[in-house]
Amino acid sequence: MVIRDKIFQSIITVFKRHGAQTIDTPVFELKEILSGKYGEDSKLIYDLADQGGELCSLRYDLTVPFARWLAMNPNIQSIKRYHISKVYRRDQPAVAKGRMREFYQCDFDIAGTYDPMIADAEILRITTEILDSLDLGIYTIKINHRKILDGLFEVCGVPVDKIRTISSAVDKLDKLPWEDVKKEMTEEKGLDPSVADKIGDYVVKKGGNELLSELLKDERLTSNESLKKGITDMCLLFEYLTIFNVLPKISFDLSLARGLDYYTGIIYEVVTEASAAPASKAKGAKKPKPVVESSDPDADRSNDDTIGVGSIAAGGRYDELVGMFSQSSKGGTPCVGISFGLDRIFSIKKAKMDEQSVRLNEVDVFVMAFGSGLLKERMQIARTLWDAGIKAEFSYKVKPKLQAQFKAAETNGVPFAVILGEDELARGEVKLKELGLPEGHPEKEGVTVSLENLAEEVKMRMAVNAMDGLLIAPDELALNRQPDYLDGTK
Amino acid sequence: MVIRDKIFQSIITVFKRHGAQTIDTPVFELKEILSGKYGEDSKLIYDLADQGGELCSLRYDLTVPFARWLAMNPNIQSIKRYHISKVYRRDQPAVAKGRMREFYQCDFDIAGTYDPMIADAEILRITTEILDSLDLGIYTIKINHRKILDGLFEVCGVPVDKIRTISSAVDKLDKLPWEDVKKEMTEEKGLDPSVADKIGDYVVKKGGNELLSELLKDERLTSNESLKKGITDMCLLFEYLTIFNVLPKISFDLSLARGLDYYTGIIYEVVTEASAAPASKAKGAKKPKPVVESSDPDADRSNDDTIGVGSIAAGGRYDELVGMFSQSSKGGTPCVGISFGLDRIFSIKKAKMDEQSVRLNEVDVFVMAFGSGLLKERMQIARTLWDAGIKAEFSYKVKPKLQAQFKAAETNGVPFAVILGEDELARGEVKLKELGLPEGHPEKEGVTVSLENLAEEVKMRMAVNAMDGLLIAPDELALNRQPDYLDGTK
């Protein structure tokens, strides 16, 4: 929970920097709202028992409840909202892989009718700010556009009724070689091999601006309306992403097909080195070991540990989902959003941290005594510290052993001990000891402080320690930074 | 959500000051864990549909899941834990009264085998710190002891099988006159009127130390073992509460019977003036209007708006609940805890706040432009501000109207506007304007700032405003404080 709370705080800080607010929706929705939104995965929805009244189900994600909420509140024409909460899937749990029946999702969405690609660009900027602040290592934002993909399939000659299923085959290119994907298209899905080859020429392409230019020069592509619209969007997006300094993280990847049917514009997925394929798969194993998997190959995979290169965030533009719940004839509010896979981020973060260094509580001072216990005196001093806003605790025993008190403080990594002795107290004094000082430090055995100065003295020392922490941080940063002369630009 | 988050933060700050950590338990528990724990209110439990696998129910409170978790983790012999999360009750909702089927509970509990009343005293200290920090107005902590109450009923001659039902009649004394309670005891519940009168002599008593002394002098009472143990506990608790400066808030109230069967020691309930009885009841209406109420008269009432004087927090010691889930023959860990009724606290807090002053987001700067829109320039400047950690937004239109941009900033109470014009930009400058300055203020029309100093300038002005806020706060405090010479102690 300590690590999780830190991750939440990092993410929320970024959301707030971009003017986001949070909303809360109930953990259950009407069953009918959820049904028909997740394809075959609807069987993973938890239903509540029929105990009278409306039939309800537990939410499966945070996107459908958000869209339902927007539709029910037509006065809200625009909002930047984040929502960090749990969702429920009646899946086979795999605890070691981080696949749970109850897990957190963290969604950020911008709803509103705006000029093209501006909000889309800000979502991607937010994504880089979050990933940079979480310090998860090198990452790439793979990006594509539904209109480009659909146009591409049209141009290559995929029959309309096969577009979605061929799209989901293409989406497997991140973990399977082209030959396997082609086999799936032709043998399993009955696509003409020549059509598959045409697709193959395109979907292996990835890059940046230069790939956009290449596509723009291909008249076969630009003559397709859908493709042309998609490429225009991408060109504009790339301009905005350059301003936002996001382009260096972007890989325009024609094989990215992604999830749910409701996407209508750009789609994206974030992969990190830390979330790369397990060794057995990277070494060329042709097919991933079959596990109980989501039956919908297009399903959101940001929390799916079974895939080769796991994404830690994913999303896209969905302009028509709100309209599905709306009573209004005008249609619903267009939206673009991203969902962060918190459990995967948590796993990466946890693996990078020294678990010994994670403190379970934040106590600053442990108030202890030797000899007769001095319970009431310890309580009095704890009260003084609390009154001053200092985090303090003491043993709930009348006569605790000194050893046990030190152990309790050390186990929790408490930085200071206030030690009471009868003689010192008679003089109106206590001993203040900074724990964990090295042998030979002049204050290793603590300093004597008068009772009336205790809270002030503790606060002063906490401030000094906090300053020391700040002084160390920039040095550490410098060690990780390349010297300017290696940069090549100078 | 903004107000709710502030309340959460205030409460969590206090919990952390006392060394608490948080845990998370699933929203569903095995059905068998919950059944038989809530008496007749078990019918309010939401069950999940039987879709194969274990039968589960949604949690009804946070206490039973905590006890179950402690029993499943016997290595955890002691913990101070808080948990703020939602619970579910299939009750008749009454939205205006804040009674929902899904609502937040905020629990703090100390588990562990300690010397008597020390942890109990700290819970009550935490309660006062939270209520003081929430600034809800005058409040009282009503306190009693299950052993005193049970002993009292024994001494008065209540048959053992009637103790619980008589106890729940006594608990109504906060909203009904004694005559009505007596009638319920004798006519409805068949108690001998002379026994009822004996009870009546005691349960109307409330006070502090002097009441304890009075009970101690009553030999009829102290000869009862249960009563004697309870009074000994209370004497010790009052000593500790004096040290913690909590005693001024305490009312030892022999009519407090409280809730669930699992309490074994002290019990308490916090009432505020703001949560006092509605006028119709206070004016002597004999019985509260019958509404769909929890069928168990002993049920937790901290979230029940239908009662006369509503409590905003309640709890007690429960030493045997964990043992009910424990496999060990040693019995379970003793616990003492409190649950805050967040919905009621929210209602009180919301009523006290000027809703206009609640900002929906925390944006510091709105970046705007007139004339040709200057979208890319606005984006560039927003990026500069984000890079500096400043919360900023801009309109997602290519050519927004200046009026609309100002309106967006003002609606959200954004303190600063950065205004772009082509001439200023050509000189490498923008206008920085503090919004809401009074007419005639020398900077009412804004100041010109060079682009490279913009982030610094904004930060400096934000810091000045924050300092002004700090300078105002102590003055406001002083206005609410009695001058020393009225204090009487000088």
Side-chain angles (χ1 to χ4, degrees):
Chain A
M1 290 301 291
V2 174
I3 301 172
R4 193 183 280 172
D5 275 351
K6 280 189 210 293
I7 293 172
F8 286 174
Q9 285 317 311
S10 292
I11 294 177
I12 290 171
T13 299
V14 176
F15 289 154
K16 288 188 171 176
R17 193 181 297 147
H18 290 262
Q21 49 182 295
T22 187
I23 68 159
D24 190 18
T25 64
V27 79
F28 37 78
E29 294 281 338
L30 292 178
K31 189 177 159 77
E32 67 193 56
I33 292 286
L34 302 190
S35 62
K37 302 301 180 304
Y38 305 103
E40 285 187 28
D41 273 354
S42 291
K43 72 174 191 298
L44 300 182
I45 293 173
Y46 274 102
D47 293 328
L48 289 178
D50 181 0
Q51 297 169 285
E54 307 91 341
L55 293 178
C56 294
S57 301
L58 298 189
R59 64 184 165 213
Y60 183 86
D61 64 12
L62 301 176
T63 309
V64 168
F66 176 56
R68 189 266 307 153
W69 178 84
L70 277 175
M72 283 177 70
N73 292 277
N75 57 317
I76 294 167
Q77 285 294 316
S78 68
I79 188 170
K80 301 177 192 172
R81 90 86 174 76
Y82 67 91
H83 193 183
I84 301 181
S85 213
K86 286 176 173 173
V87 301
Y88 299 87
R89 297 186 185 178
R90 219 171 49 80
D91 211 340
Q92 192 60 30
V95 176
K97 289 178 174 173
R99 186 171 55 216
M100 314 287 191
R101 291 176 169 174
E102 171 181 66
F103 60 94
Y104 275 102
Q105 278 199 341
C106 167
D107 279 24
F108 176 80
D109 295 82
I110 300 177
T113 305
Y114 304 116
D115 286 327
M117 310 317 285
I118 309 174
D120 311 58
E122 186 158 346
I123 294 265
L124 294 170
R125 163 76 195 198
I126 287 169
T127 303
T128 61
E129 284 187 33
I130 285 175
L131 289 165
D132 291 344
S133 78
L134 288 175
D135 189 25
L136 299 177
I138 297 168
Y139 63 91
T140 304
I141 303 174
K142 292 159 62 172
I143 187 166
N144 200 357
H145 197 299
R146 268 289 164 86
K147 290 199 164 68
I148 293 180
L149 205 58
D150 289 355
L152 207 60
F153 292 141
E154 258 177 73
V155 168
C156 293
V158 178
V160 174
D161 64 334
K162 285 206 164 71
I163 282 190
R164 284 271 74 80
T165 181
I166 294 305
S167 177
S168 79
V170 164
D171 204 37
K172 292 178 184 158
L173 273 173
D174 60 352
K175 49 182 185 202
L176 294 178
W178 166 246
E179 293 71 34
D180 290 7
V181 171
K182 185 183 170 185
K183 195 182 276 182
E184 179 179 331
M185 288 180 177
T186 53
E187 294 181 14
E188 288 176 35
K189 298 180 171 171
L191 194 69
D192 186 316
S194 70
V195 174
D197 284 335
K198 279 186 207 158
I199 294 173
D201 289 345
Y202 289 111
V203 294
V204 294
K205 292 181 196 288
K206 54 187 71 174
N209 262 320
E210 78 292 350
L211 175 54
L212 262 184
S213 308
E214 188 189 325
L215 297 184
L216 273 173
K217 286 186 202 125
D218 188 333
E219 282 183 21
R220 204 166 50 135
L221 299 183
T222 51
S223 63
N224 176 285
E225 271 311 305
S226 171
L227 251 166
K228 199 175 158 192
K229 175 74 177 61
I231 292 172
T232 309
D233 272 357
M234 289 296 270
C235 289
L236 193 57
L237 179 68
F238 275 35
E239 278 187 64
Y240 295 157
L241 292 181
T242 306
I243 297 172
F244 281 167
N245 193 30
V246 172
L247 208 57
K249 304 294 187 186
I250 296 283
S251 167
F252 176 25
D253 186 332
L254 283 173
S255 75
L256 180 73
R258 274 204 60 69
L260 306 157
D261 285 353
Y262 54 64
Y263 289 122
T264 54
I266 61 162
I267 47 179
Y268 32 82
E269 202 171 271
V270 184
V271 291
T272 70
E273 285 196 347
S275 63
S280 65
K281 292 174 192 172
K283 279 177 188 157
K286 278 205 168 178
K287 286 218 174 191
K289 185 163 161 268
V291 288
V292 180
E293 253 187 292
S294 162
S295 60
D296 175 5
D298 273 336
D300 182 288
R301 305 174 311 173
S302 58
N303 284 293
D304 186 348
D305 266 22
T306 63
I307 55 173
V309 177
S311 65
I312 55 167
R317 174 164 285 281
Y318 52 102
D319 284 347
E320 285 151 24
L321 187 63
V322 178
M324 291 172 68
F325 302 109
S326 181
Q327 305 297 322
S328 153
S329 57
K330 286 189 300 179
T333 316
C335 299
V336 57
I338 189 158
S339 177
F340 292 85
L342 285 176
D343 294 301
R344 183 173 281 262
I345 290 171
F346 175 80
S347 309
I348 297 173
K349 201 74 198 161
K350 192 153 172 265
K352 288 182 102 177
M353 286 175 97
D354 177 7
E355 279 213 57
Q356 297 303 318
S357 72
V358 177
R359 290 186 61 193
L360 293 180
N361 70 25
E362 300 175 5
V363 165
D364 300 312
V365 180
F366 202 101
V367 181
M368 50 182 82
F370 46 85
S372 59
L374 298 167
L375 171 63
K376 291 184 186 173
E377 290 78 6
R378 285 185 284 129
M379 291 177 118
Q380 175 63 52
I381 285 168
R383 174 199 156 177
T384 306
L385 296 171
W386 294 332
D387 281 344
I390 297 167
K391 303 181 190 110
E393 56 181 353
F394 61 94
S395 163
Y396 293 151
K397 300 267 182 191
V398 175
K399 285 189 191 178
K401 292 196 176 119
L402 189 63
Q403 195 68 10
Q405 295 173 83
F406 268 114
K407 188 153 177 267
E410 277 162 14
T411 306
N412 281 338
V414 178
F416 294 98
V418 168
I419 307 165
L420 281 60
E422 275 165 19
D423 295 348
E424 286 93 340
L425 276 179
R427 292 193 301 269
E429 291 174 342
V430 289
K431 192 176 268 183
L432 174 60
K433 189 166 151 48
E434 186 165 349
L435 300 173
L437 287 179
E439 288 298 332
H441 190 287
E443 295 191 350
K444 176 74 181 166
E445 294 309 313
V447 292
T448 302
V449 179
S450 79
L451 277 176
E452 66 246 41
N453 291 337
L454 179 62
E456 274 310 300
E457 185 71 27
V458 168
K459 279 189 169 178
M460 193 269 285
R461 284 165 184 267
M462 281 164 53
V464 168
N465 283 3
M467 294 265 280
D468 284 352
L470 284 179
L471 289 177
I472 291 166
D475 286 341
E476 286 183 341
L477 277 176
L479 287 174
N480 294 325
R481 200 158 52 202
Q482 275 196 337
D484 282 343
Y485 57 83
L486 286 180
D487 186 287
T489 58
K490 297 196 181 185
Chain B
M1 288 301 290
V2 175
I3 301 172
R4 195 183 276 173
D5 276 351
K6 280 191 211 292
I7 293 173
F8 286 175
Q9 285 318 312
S10 291
I11 294 178
I12 290 171
T13 299
V14 176
F15 288 155
K16 289 189 172 175
R17 192 182 299 148
H18 290 263
Q21 48 182 295
T22 187
I23 70 161
D24 190 17
T25 63
V27 79
F28 35 78
E29 295 281 337
L30 293 178
K31 189 176 158 76
E32 65 193 56
I33 292 285
L34 302 190
S35 62
K37 301 302 181 302
Y38 304 104
E40 283 186 29
D41 273 354
S42 291
K43 73 175 191 298
L44 299 181
I45 293 173
Y46 273 104
D47 293 327
L48 289 177
D50 182 1
Q51 296 169 288
E54 306 91 341
L55 292 179
C56 295
S57 301
L58 298 188
R59 64 183 166 213
Y60 183 86
D61 64 12
L62 301 175
T63 309
V64 167
F66 176 54
R68 190 265 310 152
W69 177 85
L70 277 175
M72 283 179 71
N73 291 278
N75 57 317
I76 295 168
Q77 286 294 315
S78 68
I79 188 171
K80 300 178 195 173
R81 90 85 175 77
Y82 68 90
H83 193 184
I84 302 182
S85 213
K86 286 175 174 174
V87 300
Y88 299 88
R89 299 187 184 176
R90 216 170 53 78
D91 211 340
Q92 191 62 30
V95 176
K97 289 178 174 174
R99 186 171 55 213
M100 313 288 192
R101 289 177 171 174
E102 172 180 67
F103 59 94
Y104 275 103
Q105 279 200 341
C106 167
D107 278 24
F108 176 79
D109 296 81
I110 300 178
T113 305
Y114 302 118
D115 286 326
M117 309 317 288
I118 308 174
D120 311 58
E122 187 157 347
I123 296 265
L124 295 170
R125 164 76 194 197
I126 287 169
T127 303
T128 60
E129 284 187 32
I130 286 175
L131 290 166
D132 291 344
S133 79
L134 289 174
D135 189 25
L136 299 177
I138 296 168
Y139 62 91
T140 303
I141 304 174
K142 290 158 65 173
I143 188 167
N144 200 356
H145 197 299
R146 268 290 163 88
K147 288 199 167 66
I148 293 179
L149 206 57
D150 289 354
L152 207 60
F153 293 142
E154 257 179 72
V155 168
C156 294
V158 178
V160 174
D161 64 334
K162 285 206 163 71
I163 282 189
R164 284 270 72 80
T165 182
I166 293 306
S167 176
S168 78
V170 165
D171 204 36
K172 292 177 185 160
L173 274 174
D174 60 352
K175 49 181 184 203
L176 293 179
W178 166 246
E179 294 68 37
D180 289 8
V181 171
K182 184 183 171 186
K183 195 183 275 183
E184 178 179 332
M185 287 180 176
T186 52
E187 292 179 16
E188 287 177 36
K189 297 181 172 171
L191 193 69
D192 186 315
S194 70
V195 173
D197 284 337
K198 279 186 206 158
I199 295 172
D201 289 346
Y202 288 111
V203 293
V204 293
K205 291 180 196 288
K206 53 187 73 174
N209 261 319
E210 78 293 350
L211 176 54
L212 262 184
S213 308
E214 187 189 327
L215 297 183
L216 273 172
K217 284 186 204 128
D218 188 331
E219 280 184 23
R220 206 166 50 134
L221 299 182
T222 52
S223 64
N224 177 285
E225 269 313 302
S226 172
L227 252 167
K228 199 173 156 192
K229 174 74 176 59
I231 293 173
T232 309
D233 273 358
M234 289 294 270
C235 288
L236 192 57
L237 179 69
F238 274 35
E239 277 188 64
Y240 296 157
L241 292 181
T242 307
I243 298 173
F244 281 167
N245 194 30
V246 173
L247 207 56
K249 303 294 187 185
I250 296 284
S251 167
F252 176 26
D253 187 332
L254 283 174
S255 75
L256 180 73
R258 273 205 60 71
L260 307 155
D261 286 353
Y262 55 63
Y263 290 122
T264 55
I266 60 161
I267 47 180
Y268 32 82
E269 203 170 271
V270 184
V271 292
T272 70
E273 284 194 348
S275 63
S280 66
K281 291 175 192 171
K283 281 179 187 154
K286 276 207 170 178
K287 285 217 174 190
K289 185 163 161 268
V291 289
V292 179
E293 254 188 291
S294 162
S295 60
D296 176 3
D298 272 338
D300 184 287
R301 305 173 312 171
S302 57
N303 285 292
D304 186 347
D305 267 21
T306 62
I307 54 171
V309 177
S311 64
I312 55 169
R317 173 165 284 281
Y318 51 102
D319 285 347
E320 285 151 24
L321 187 63
V322 179
M324 290 173 68
F325 302 110
S326 179
Q327 305 297 321
S328 152
S329 57
K330 285 192 298 180
T333 315
C335 298
V336 58
I338 189 159
S339 178
F340 292 86
L342 285 174
D343 294 302
R344 182 174 280 261
I345 290 171
F346 176 80
S347 311
I348 297 173
K349 199 76 197 160
K350 193 152 171 265
K352 289 184 99 178
M353 287 175 96
D354 176 7
E355 280 211 56
Q356 296 302 317
S357 72
V358 177
R359 291 188 59 194
L360 292 179
N361 70 24
E362 300 175 6
V363 165
D364 300 312
V365 180
F366 201 101
V367 182
M368 50 182 82
F370 46 84
S372 60
L374 298 167
L375 172 63
K376 290 184 188 172
E377 290 76 5
R378 285 185 283 128
M379 290 178 118
Q380 176 63 52
I381 285 167
R383 173 197 156 179
T384 307
L385 296 172
W386 295 332
D387 282 344
I390 296 166
K391 303 181 190 109
E393 55 180 356
F394 61 94
S395 163
Y396 294 149
K397 299 267 182 191
V398 174
K399 285 189 191 176
K401 293 196 177 116
L402 190 62
Q403 195 70 10
Q405 297 173 82
F406 268 114
K407 189 155 175 264
E410 277 162 14
T411 307
N412 281 337
V414 178
F416 295 97
V418 168
I419 306 163
L420 280 60
E422 276 166 17
D423 296 348
E424 286 92 339
L425 275 179
R427 293 193 302 269
E429 291 174 342
V430 289
K431 191 175 268 183
L432 174 60
K433 187 166 151 51
E434 187 165 349
L435 301 173
L437 287 179
E439 288 300 332
H441 189 284
E443 296 191 350
K444 176 75 183 164
E445 294 309 312
V447 293
T448 302
V449 179
S450 80
L451 277 176
E452 65 246 39
N453 291 338
L454 179 61
E456 273 312 300
E457 186 71 27
V458 169
K459 278 189 171 179
M460 192 268 285
R461 283 163 185 269
M462 280 162 55
V464 169
N465 282 5
M467 293 266 280
D468 284 351
L470 284 180
L471 290 177
I472 290 165
D475 286 341
E476 285 183 340
L477 278 175
L479 288 174
N480 293 325
R481 202 158 51 201
Q482 274 196 335
D484 281 345
Y485 57 82
L486 287 180
D487 185 288
T489 59
K490 295 194 180 182

